Amino acid sequence: MQETRAAITGIGAYLPSYRLTNEEISTMVDTTDEWIMQRIGIKERRILKEKGKATSDMGTEAVKQLLEKTNTRPDEIELLICATITPDRPFPATANIISRKARLTNAWSYDISAACSGFVFALTTAAKFIESGQYKKVIVVGADMMSAITDYTDRSTCPLFGDGASAVLLEPTTEDVGIIDHMNHTDGKGRHYLHVKAGGSKIPTTPETLQQRMQYVHQDGQTVFKYAVSRMADVAVDIMKKHDITPDKLAWLVPHQANMRIIDAVARRMKISREQVMINIENYGNTTAATIPLCLYDYENQLKKGDNVILAAFGAGFTWGSMYLKWAYDTNK
C-alpha cells in the first residue's frame, strides 16, 4: 500500500495596503533607516489601518484567494486551523470567525497559539488529519495583526513587526511529494524573555497595567537572538542529517522572518547559500505566524515539483521547529 502524505496544493495571502517605513518610525522613536537595516534588515512593514478590521479579516481574504486559485468550493473544506497570537478576541477562536466569513459551512476550526512557530506547529497538526485518511481538504492559516500589540514608543520592538496573513490548502497524495517529517520543540523557560505581560488570567488588564504599557510585546533582545540562532539552526541541521539532505540537494530554506542576522546565521550553519533562502523580511517585517507562508506565497512561481524544502521557525515560549517537505506542484502566478 502506498503511503499517503499531506501536500500543499495552493497558497493564498493578504497584506494590508499601508506601508510603515523606517523613515516614519524614525519620527516616533530615536532610530534611523540605516540602524534598522543594519541591525534587523527591515525596510518597511504592512499595517492594517482600516477601522474595525482585525486578524480574521486578513485571514478571510487569504482563504478566499486560496479557494479561488485552487478552484475549491468553500463547502469542500473539512477543517481550518489558524495559527495566531493576535486573535480578534480571547474567544471565540479566530478560526471560527474566518470559517464563518469565508462560508466554510462544513469545516470545523480552531486556533493554535505558538507565536512565530505557530504555522509550522499548525501545519504539523493538519498533516496528521490528512495522513490518517480522515480528511481530504484542510486549510492552515497563519495570520497576525502585530500592530495591535506593538508599543510604538518602544525603540527596541516597534521596528520589528508587521501585519499579514497567508493560507495553504493541504490535500492527500501518494506521489513522492508532500510533508515528509517534522521536528518540533518547546521549552517554557523562555517564557520570561518574549511575552505580553498583562491581559491574561495571571495579570488581568487593569488601568494600572495599561498605564505601564503591559499590554504590548516585551522582549529581552539579546537572549532571544542567542536562542533563536542556536535552536533554529540546530533543528534545521538535524532534519537535514536525518534525511541525508546535503546542501546541494536542498532547493529552499524557508526561515521565520524575524531578523536578517538570524536568517544568515542559520544558513551558514546549514552550509547553504543565500540564493537557497526565501527572504522577504525587508518588505513585511515580522508577521509572526504569517512569515513562513508569506514566503511560500512570494516564491511560489520559483518552486518546482519535487523540490526539497525545509521550513524553520523560532518563537516565544520558547517554541521552535522544522519541517521537511517535497514541493507538490509547478505553478506560474
Side-chain angles (χ1 to χ4, degrees):
M1 182 179 294
Q2 290 179 302
E3 177 185 10
T4 298
R5 291 179 183 155
I8 294 173
T9 57
I11 314 173
Y14 175 81
L15 289 157
S17 59
Y18 188 85
R19 300 168 189 263
L20 177 59
T21 65
N22 290 344
E23 287 76 13
E24 185 174 353
I25 285 183
S26 70
T27 68
M28 304 174 183
V29 293
D30 182 18
T31 192
T32 65
D33 172 69
E34 182 181 14
W35 188 93
I36 296 171
M37 284 297 296
Q38 287 181 350
R39 300 285 296 180
I40 310 169
I42 299 170
K43 190 73 174 175
E44 63 182 29
R45 61 292 289 149
R46 302 294 184 92
I47 303 296
L48 187 62
K49 286 275 194 178
E50 288 82 356
K51 186 176 180 180
K53 297 294 184 179
T55 298
S56 69
D57 296 290
M58 295 189 295
T60 298
E61 293 304 313
V63 169
K64 287 180 176 179
Q65 186 193 85
L66 170 66
L67 295 173
E68 183 177 354
K69 283 177 63 177
T70 58
N71 195 29
T72 303
R73 299 192 316 273
D75 63 3
E76 293 182 89
I77 303 303
E78 298 155 293
L79 169 65
L80 182 143
I81 303 174
C82 179
T84 187
I85 57 165
T86 56
D88 288 19
R89 301 177 176 89
F91 64 89
T94 296
N96 303 163
I97 302 169
I98 293 171
S99 294
R100 177 67 177 179
K101 289 179 176 178
R103 300 184 179 180
L104 309 185
T105 54
N106 292 321
W108 65 291
S109 57
Y110 60 91
D111 290 353
I112 283 182
S113 176
C116 300
S117 303
F119 180 78
V120 173
F121 283 23
L123 197 61
T124 299
T125 306
K128 300 307 175 186
F129 286 99
I130 297 288
E131 292 167 8
S132 71
Q134 188 167 5
Y135 296 132
K136 303 295 185 186
K137 293 182 185 290
V138 176
I139 288 177
V140 178
V141 178
D144 271 301
M145 184 177 169
M146 293 303 294
S147 62
I149 59 171
T150 296
D151 184 353
Y152 289 99
T153 68
D154 180 2
R155 176 179 181 268
S156 66
T157 57
C158 73
L160 301 177
F161 299 108
D163 303 338
S166 187
V168 301
L169 178 64
L170 286 184
E171 297 182 274
T173 182
T174 55
E175 295 185 66
D176 186 23
V177 294
I179 295 170
I180 296 171
D181 198 5
H182 64 88
M183 294 181 176
N184 295 326
H185 304 274
T186 62
D187 186 345
K189 74 180 180 183
R191 68 192 184 278
H192 301 297
Y193 302 111
L194 178 53
H195 59 165
V196 173
K197 294 181 178 181
S201 59
K202 182 176 176 64
I203 307 176
T205 302
T206 65
E208 290 73 26
T209 66
L210 295 175
Q211 186 177 18
Q212 296 175 51
R213 309 185 76 79
M214 296 172 70
Q215 72 272 32
Y216 296 122
V217 175
H218 295 262
Q219 78 164 351
D220 177 338
Q222 288 187 334
T223 301
V224 171
F225 182 91
K226 179 182 71 174
Y227 277 97
V229 170
S230 62
R231 297 296 190 264
M232 260 179 72
D234 286 347
V235 76
V237 169
D238 286 347
I239 209 164
M240 286 180 74
K241 289 180 178 177
K242 181 178 178 181
H243 294 277
D244 192 28
I245 305 170
T246 53
D248 61 295
K249 293 179 183 177
L250 182 67
W252 295 102
L253 167 68
V254 192
H256 169 54
Q257 308 285 301
N259 183 303
M260 196 62 231
R261 293 185 299 154
I262 295 174
I263 294 170
D264 283 338
V266 172
R268 285 195 297 270
R269 279 283 305 279
M270 296 172 70
K271 299 180 180 178
I272 61 174
S273 68
R274 185 178 273 199
E275 287 69 34
Q276 293 169 274
V277 184
M278 293 189 186
I279 301 169
N280 61 13
I281 186 173
E282 182 173 341
N283 300 321
Y284 309 141
N286 182 353
T287 55
T288 307
T291 68
I292 287 176
L294 281 174
C295 275
L296 293 173
Y297 179 82
D298 279 355
Y299 283 78
E300 185 183 13
N301 61 355
Q302 297 184 50
L303 284 156
K304 299 179 178 61
K305 186 174 181 178
D307 276 354
N308 286 321
V309 178
I310 289 177
L311 317 182
F314 177 88
F318 290 131
T319 61
W320 67 100
S322 66
M323 177 175 284
Y324 167 44
L325 58 88
K326 286 182 178 288
W327 196 248
Y329 63 97
D330 296 308
T331 189
N332 288 304
K333 285 199 293 187

